[in-house]
Amino acid sequence: MPRLRDHTVIDYFSALDSKRVVSDVPPGYLRPLLPSAPPDEGEKWEDIQKDIEAKIMPGLTHWQSPNFMAFFPANASYPSLLGELYSAAFTAPAFNWLCSPACTELETIVLDWLCNAFHLPASYLSTSSTGGGGVIQGSASEAIVTVMIAARERCVREHVRAQDKNGLSRSRSEDEKEWRLRSKLVALGSEMSHSSTQKASMIAGVKYRSIPVSAADEYALTGRGLKKALENVTKEGLVPFYLTATLGTTSTCAVDRFKEIAEVKKDYPNMWIHVDAAYAGAALLLEEYQGLTEGLEMFDSFDVNMHKWLLTNFDARYVVVLPSISFLQTANSTSRSPFVEYHVLLTHGHSSSIPIRCNLLAVAQASVSALLELDSIISRSLLTSSFLVAASSSPAANPSPPPSRSPPPTSKTTTAPPAT
């Protein structure tokens, strides 16, 4: 590895605790330091390193610093960095299995490992008969947009079936029926849900309703609160098609009452329920928290950010989204379907599963309990590769849920250090 004044990636990590965490440069500091156009010829690596040290380093906020106390942990590890090197070297745009069989298959296998490690229902596995499985996404927010669009299209197809089997011949009245339905679709989330759900509804072109929660319920979304909200939107003539339930809300680390929500879903079987576990889902690795998955067998999808507790570098963010087999068959049944591109997304593979695998193999050698005891260092910023999986809505296909266990401890809210 090229060196300059003993400065390497390893040296950077070694000196992190002595660096100022938040940059003190003024806005716009970088433009005067760089040329107005890219160089006509390449430069020596030593010169590039000088620029990194003199011009880039002063403008960095050091998220890897043990003194970083803001937002969420995004702590990388040596194994994940090595995996990232291979991922960057391969740079395989694995759109489908043929483009790079190893990428697609490794991604599928590693995400199945995570399903089992998190004690998710068997229907979330790629090997399940109900067509579960996962893929890597860019972030939990991206995952929510993806599943919301999936939910929207599933709802439309279940309500509007007036088209021939090839989807090529539709009357004007049939199109009008579909668009009347689309205008009534509403997504829901608690007022503690991450703002990504509301933003996803704007992207998907649907309405959004926030469900109030209270301190008396530890800021969790309850079955009672959900049922009332669903009754209200139905009275408005709207069609509730999607709900984000949360395992570890960003502001209070609240865990929504999944078992109660699953009971309410029985009266709304067509409503897609997504579990956003980006913030605290990693706690499911511990047996004492695995009871929190009770009720998930009734839901449709799940995501977790691996870069928040599990020492995977931020560039290896992963998520999974896979509806049931019947839904995918419907989505891919016609060339005019807006799901054609979506189906391609669902079947792609990622070489970024390599750092995940490298890190999991290393973490397996350590005590998971010890990892969570490092909360003062690691869980200041719960990890973010977005892991998202879909389950079958049929409880018969799943094993009995585990007994309820004590909820995870409330995470202390941290604030960003003031810029100076």
Side-chain angles (χ1 to χ4, degrees), residues 264-324:
V264 175
K265 180 178 169 64
K266 292 178 180 179
D267 296 327
Y268 298 85
N270 295 325
M271 182 174 63
W272 183 299
I273 298 182
H274 170 69
V275 177
D276 179 14
Y279 186 62
L284 296 178
L285 287 173
L286 293 177
E287 184 180 356
E288 56 264 37
Y289 298 120
Q290 290 175 355
L292 295 174
T293 62
E294 188 172 1
L296 264 61
E297 67 275 4
M298 295 290 292
F299 300 165
D300 298 277
S301 52
F302 176 94
D303 76 75
V304 64
N305 288 350
M306 300 299 293
H307 64 252
K308 285 181 176 165
W309 279 5
L310 298 180
L311 305 179
T312 303
N313 53 298
F314 195 73
D315 284 340
R317 317 160 209 164
Y318 38 92
V319 142
V320 308
V321 190
L322 276 183
S324 67

Side-chain angles (χ1 to χ4, degrees), residues 135-340:
V135 295
I136 295 171
Q137 297 282 4
S139 67
S141 297
E142 181 182 327
I144 289 175
V145 171
T146 304
V147 293
M148 186 178 291
I149 292 174
R152 183 192 68 189
E153 296 307 308
R154 184 179 74 174
C155 179
V156 169
R157 281 171 173 74
E158 289 177 347
H159 284 79
V160 183
R161 302 181 183 276
Q163 64 178 41
D164 67 10
K165 63 181 181 180
N166 294 319
L168 300 176
S169 176
R170 299 184 64 177
S171 67
R172 179 176 178 179
S173 62
E174 290 166 349
D175 283 336
E176 289 176 350
K177 180 180 179 182
E178 174 179 331
W179 288 106
R180 279 197 298 270
L181 171 63
R182 289 181 181 274
S183 70
K184 298 177 181 179
L185 296 179
V186 59
L188 300 102
S190 86
E191 60 183 347
M192 291 290 113
S193 296
H194 192 271
S195 60
S196 56
T197 297
Q198 183 175 6
K199 292 174 182 176
S201 68
M202 297 169 67
I203 295 172
V206 297
K207 296 176 175 61
Y208 177 76
R209 294 290 185 273
S210 178
I211 306 173
V213 294
S214 67
D217 295 316
E218 298 181 327
Y219 300 104
L221 175 62
T222 64
R224 179 183 67 258
L226 173 60
K227 185 175 182 180
K228 181 177 180 181
L230 290 170
E231 290 172 348
N232 288 340
V233 297
T234 301
K235 287 178 182 177
E236 293 180 47
L238 302 178
V239 179
F241 77 102
Y242 172 91
L243 168 72
T244 291
T246 308
L247 198 166
T249 58
T250 303
S251 55
T252 59
C253 204
V255 178
D256 291 341
R257 309 282 175 79
F258 300 141
K259 188 175 180 180
E260 296 178 16
I261 293 171
E263 285 297 313
V264 175
K265 180 178 169 64
K266 292 178 180 179
D267 296 327
Y268 298 85
N270 295 325
M271 182 174 63
W272 183 299
I273 298 182
H274 170 69
V275 177
D276 179 14
Y279 186 62
L284 296 178
L285 287 173
L286 293 177
E287 184 180 356
E288 56 264 37
Y289 298 120
Q290 290 175 355
L292 295 174
T293 62
E294 188 172 1
L296 264 61
E297 67 275 4
M298 295 290 292
F299 300 165
D300 298 277
S301 52
F302 176 94
D303 76 75
V304 64
N305 288 350
M306 300 299 293
H307 64 252
K308 285 181 176 165
W309 279 5
L310 298 180
L311 305 179
T312 303
N313 53 298
F314 195 73
D315 284 340
R317 317 160 209 164
Y318 38 92
V319 142
V320 308
V321 190
L322 276 183
S324 67
I325 289 176
S326 59
F327 172 56
L328 278 180
Q329 289 173 339
T330 301
N332 202 37
S333 63
T334 168
S335 59
R336 65 171 285 175
S337 168
F339 259 111
V340 171

